[in-house]
Structure formats: C-alpha cells, structure tokens
C-alpha cells in the first residue's frame, strides 16, 4: 500500500512535467492545426539555456530558491526566443502552404535543432546544476514526500493557474481563443493574428522551458537528444487528452505519468517507453479525438 | 458631392483559376444604405471579403479617400470598417458577452465599451437574457443578432452585412431590417448583401446588381424594385 502511494506521488510528479510540455503541442495545434515537432527540441534548448546561465553566473552548485528562479527564467527566455524564431522563419512563410509541407518543415526544424545542438553543445551528456537540495519533507508511514516533488508540483500548479488566467481572463487570451476558433473572423474583429500566433509560441515554449528545468532538477543529465522521448510522450499525452484541448493535455499527461510509474513499479521498467506507444495506438484506434477532444472543448 | 465613404475601383479577385470578381466598380456615400444583390455565386461575399481584406484583390478600395491597398485586414477595423460575415461567424465556445468584447477588440476605452454593450442589449434585449450563454448553443436568429451587435461594437463608420436575414423566420427578418434602418439612422453607413432582394431594396437608398463578378445594373432601391429584369430575376415575379 505504501508502495502504491509512493508511485502515485512519483506519477503525479512525472505527469506534471509531461503536462508542461504537452501544453505547448496542444496550444500550437489549436491555433495552427500544426504538430510542432520542434517543440521537444525547444524543451532541450531550455535545459541548455539554464545550464549555461548557471555556468556563467557560477551558481551550478548553489542550490536554493534564487537559483531555481534564475534557471527557470533563463530557460523560459531561451525557449521563448527560439520558439518565436521558429514560428517567424520556418512556419510563418508557409502559412498558406498545404499542411503537409508545414509538417515536413516541422520535422526538418526538429532535426536541424537536434544536430546543431550536438555541434554547439557537444553530444556528451552534461550534468545539470543542482537546483534544490533533495530532502524528505514529510514521511507518512513509509511514504516519502520529497522537496523536489513538492517543487515540481507547486511550480506546475502555479503555471497552470497562470495559463488559465491568461487564457480566460485577459484580452490577449480571448484573442488566442478567437484565433484558434476562426482566424478569419478574428482578423475581422481587428486581431493581428500573426502576433497572437507568435505569442502562443512564446507561451508554449516558456512552459516547455519550465519543464526542462524541472526535469533537469530531478534527472540531472542533459544532452541534445534529451527531448526526443519525453517530447514524444508529451505529444501522446496531448493526443490522449484530445489535441487542441488545454484541459485534455493536462489530463492526458497525468494519465501518462501515473500509468508509466505503475508499469515501472509493478511490471518492469523495460516497458516504460513501450507504454506510450501502446497508449497512442489504442487511442488512435478507439478514440482518435482523444478524451476531451470534442468540438465543444475550448481549444487554443 | 461629398467624398464617398467607400469607393471600389476595378476590383478583381481570383480563387486559383476562378476569376470571381472581374473589375467591379461602385461607390457608397456617407449615410447611405446600399445593397448588393445577385444570384448565388455572383461574387457578393467575395466583394465584402475583399473590402475587409481577408481575400487578396487587385484594383483599389478607398475608405474615406484612403487607399486600403497596404492596410492589413485587422488594421481596417480601427479605420472604421466592420463586417458581420456570411454564416455569422460567432465564436461558438465564447459567451455572448465575450463575443461582444471581441467586437470591441480594437478599442481600449473601457467605459465607452460598456455603454456600447448596453446599446446592443437595447437593440436586441434577447442578447441580454443570454449574456452568459455560449454563442454556439444559441438559435440562428440569436446568433445573427449577436453577429450584428458584435460588428457594431467596433463603432464602425461603414458596416458590411453579409446576408443578415439568411435562414431566419419572417418575423425575425423584419426585426433585423428594422434594426438595420435604426443603426443607419444613428449615422452608420451600411453596405448590405442580401438574397432577400425585396426587403433589401426596400430599405436601401441605392443598390447594385452583380452578375458573375460584374456590376450589371445600378439604381435607387425603389426604382430597382420596379425594374422588369430585377423583378423577374431576383424578386421572382
Ligand atoms: N474559397 C474559394 N475557393 C474557390 N472558389 C471560391 C471560393 N470562395 C468563393 N468562390 C467562388 O467565387 C464565386 C463567387 O462566390 P461568392 O461566395 O462571392 O458568391 P456570393 O455572391 O456570395 O454567393 P451566395 O449568394 O451563394 O452567397 C463563386 O463561383 C464561388 O464558387
Ligand atoms: Mg455569399
């Protein structure tokens, strides 16, 4: 039983990280009907942005809240800039091109980033800075709640609340929803749709940046291909929840995180990655629109 | 004569190989209600889309004497142009209130926006009853009221209406036309596209008949109502 609770805690923690990345896929899909394959590499660049900032500032071995904040900010800024550039130079020129061309471009951008990163950062893994001390905060009958898991959960929750506020309570959020529902009508309302699309990339990319720091914090080894598997899982989470749906992405990510943790805990860690593909195949067969992916769901 | 609020000069639009507008010319004077009438596929919607800048066109479109050639579609709203598009185009997942706020997107004068929302509710009390309802669940007539109100929320000088009576019960149709006259009497110039040619011509100062992308006839609304060709082709008599 204690085992089970421990797995739930770990699973939710993993799910939160998937959620942060899945949101970027789902938001860009909602607004452009494009699967942004480069998103997982934006996430990877976030980890390196944090890594190099820490090096530069000499805080690689200075765990604490201020380090956490600085690294989050560096990753978010790095990811935003990259996301913005990808949108501006790869996707915007193809706005009126057939969907397939854009999709292939997305794959191209992804490969370009992965291999450029190997040239610039080197292919060897690097050790991510120590962001927070990992200590057991509470122990309840054998179940350990660790500071890192609490941090992951708290930061994710904060991000979700901020995102929710942005999308449902602000003018720009309303414009994002409008553009994702109907670009043409949105521009008839006076919305500069290119600007809103760029902004959506900024938001999605920053969330991936937050995810990259949280992952680096828990599994402190980063390399230029680190985005591939986690990006794929986050993408499956977005599809599972119903791509385009914000709530769906979070739900899908939690399911993915929990089931992965259970599989590892009770079956074998060999199946860890197979699970994602299994889930993808099952959804595509039985419910291609995903759990919340009906037309009634708000998409951005 | 005063400067026209809208001048359309030699307007051409292509959809791939389809030549949808073939050199359209017309003008709208300030304060007028002008209708475009024509058969299905004549190019009426395309004309409004070109004026709003959501399809590419050649030729020229002048709004109060200013060429819109280099003005992006979203910038045209702050110049005083608004459109209620064909098929209404309300944002289905947004509430009535949010749709109206979207209409005021180009403005930032909050208290005035609140007043204009109240004004829309006076025009269409039904909308006030449904303020929180998501637009997608409203009836066709209610959505039409919302689409017109939303277009008014930008305080346009020129309002483009694409088939505001489409699919509505006769009683609602007359109500919509009453509102069009009322809005016009408050100083908004209106360019109206209608299948319901009889109603449209009745409320219009002038009208243009469009056939396969060209203006074939123009005249005062009343005169066209009595024109034999118009009566046969568009009024079904
Ligand atoms: N997106 C498009 N792609 C290709 N052809 C189009 C497109 N939109 C319109 N057309 C064509 O352009 C012509 C004019 O269409 P338009 O929608 O302007 O007609 P309309 O006068 O508004 O007709 P209706 O009364 O049926 O609404 C038609 O032949 C139509 O098939
Ligand atoms: Mg039409």
């Amino acid at each position: 039983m204690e085992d089970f609770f421990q797995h739930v805690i770990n699973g939710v923690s993993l799910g939160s990280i998937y959620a942060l990345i899945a949101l970027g896929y789902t938001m860009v899909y909602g607004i452009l009907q494009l699967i942004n394959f480069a998103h997982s590499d934006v996430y990877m660049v976030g980890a390196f942005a944090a890594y190099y900032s820490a090096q530069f500032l000499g805080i690689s071995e200075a765990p604490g809240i201020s380090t956490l904040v600085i690294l989050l900010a560096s990753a978010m800024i790095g990811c935003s800039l990259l996301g913005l550039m990808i949108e501006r130079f790869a996707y915007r020129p193809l706005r009126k091109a057939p969907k397939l061309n854009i999709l292939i471009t997305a794959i191209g951008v992804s490969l370009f980033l992965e291999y450029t990163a190997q040239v610039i950062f080197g292919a060897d893994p690097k050790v991510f800075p120590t962001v927070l001390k990992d200590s057991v905060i509470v122990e309840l009958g054998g179940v350990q709640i660790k500071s890192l898991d609490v941090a992951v959960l708290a930061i994710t929750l904060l991000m979700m609340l901020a995102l929710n506020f942005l999308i449902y309570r602000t003018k720009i959020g309303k414009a994002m929803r409008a553009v994702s529902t109907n670009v043409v009508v949105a521009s008839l309302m006076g919305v500069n749709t290119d600007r809103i699309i760029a902004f959506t990339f900024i938001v999605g990319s920053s969330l991936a940046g937050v995810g990259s720091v949280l992952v680096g914090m828990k599994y402190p080894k980063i390399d230029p291909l680190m985005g591939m598997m986690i990006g794929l899982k986050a993408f499956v989470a977005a599809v599972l929840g119903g791509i385009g749906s914000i709530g769906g992405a979070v739900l899908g990510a939690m399911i993915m995180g929990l089931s992965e943790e259970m599989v590892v805990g009770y079956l074998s860690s060999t199946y860890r990655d197979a699970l994602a593909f299994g889930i993808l195949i099952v959804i595509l067969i039985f419910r291609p629109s995903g759990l919340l992916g009906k037309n009634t769901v708000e998409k951005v | 004569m005063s400067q026209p609020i809208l001048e359309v000069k030699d307007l051409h639009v292509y959809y791939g190989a389809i030549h949808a507008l073939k050199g359209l010319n017309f003008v709208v004077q300030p304060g007028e209600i002008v209708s475009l009438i024509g058969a299905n596929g004549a190019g009426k919607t395309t004309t409004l889309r070109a004026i709003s800048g959501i399809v590419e066109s050649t030729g020229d479109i002048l709004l109060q004497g200013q060429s819109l050639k280099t003005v992006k579609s979203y910038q045209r709203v702050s110049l005083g142009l608004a459109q209620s598009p064909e098929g209404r185009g309300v944002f289905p997942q947004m509430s009535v209130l949010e749709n109206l706020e979207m209409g005021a997107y180009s403005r930032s004068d909050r208290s005035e926006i609140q007043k204009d929302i109240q004004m829309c509710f006076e025009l269409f009390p039904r909308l006030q009853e449904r303020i929180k309802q998501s637009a997608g669940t409203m009836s066709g007539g209610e959505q039409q009221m919302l689409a017109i109100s939303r277009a008014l929320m930008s305080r346009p000088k020129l309002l483009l209406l694409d088939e505001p009576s489409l699919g509505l019960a006769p009683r609602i149709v007359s109500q919509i036309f009453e509102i069009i006259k009322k809005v016009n009497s408050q100083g908004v110039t209106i360019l109206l596209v209608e299948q319901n040619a009889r109603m449209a011509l009745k409320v219009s100062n002038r009208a243009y008949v469009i056939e396969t992308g060209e203006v074939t006839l123009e005249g005062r609304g009343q005169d066209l109502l009595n024109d034999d060709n118009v009566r046969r082709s568009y009024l079904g008599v």
Side-chain angles (χ1 to χ4, degrees), chain A residues 218-238:
Chain A
K218 281 195 74 168
Y219 316 97
K221 223 180 66 180
I222 63 171
D223 69 82
L225 300 184
M226 67 186 275
M228 289 171 84
M229 190 50 77
I230 198 168
L232 200 66
K233 287 177 184 168
F235 170 64
V236 172

Side-chain angles (χ1 to χ4, degrees), chain B residues 39-46 49 86 162-163 193 195:
Chain B
N40 293 120
K44 306 178 297 293
T45 296
T46 303
R49 290 167 69 88
E86 188 170 51
D162 199 343
E163 307 221 20
V193 161
Q195 284 295 330

Side-chain angles (χ1 to χ4, degrees), chain B residues 5-73:
Chain B
I5 189 161
L6 178 75
E7 278 175 275
V8 170
K9 293 179 172 171
D10 193 29
L11 191 68
H12 290 262
V13 170
Y14 292 85
Y15 294 110
I18 298 171
H19 195 177
L21 295 187
K22 303 166 183 162
L24 217 59
N25 291 286
F26 65 91
V27 296
V28 178
Q29 300 295 342
E32 281 190 308
I33 299 181
V34 171
S35 322
L36 303 179
I37 59 175
N40 293 120
K44 306 178 297 293
T45 296
T46 303
T47 307
L48 296 195
R49 290 167 69 88
I51 296 170
S52 282
I54 51 180
V55 293
E56 282 180 31
S57 59
T58 59
D60 209 355
I61 299 165
L62 291 94
L63 189 66
Q64 295 187 304
Q66 178 188 351
S67 168
L68 297 182
K69 258 184 196 155
T70 59
V71 182
K72 299 231 168 62
S73 56

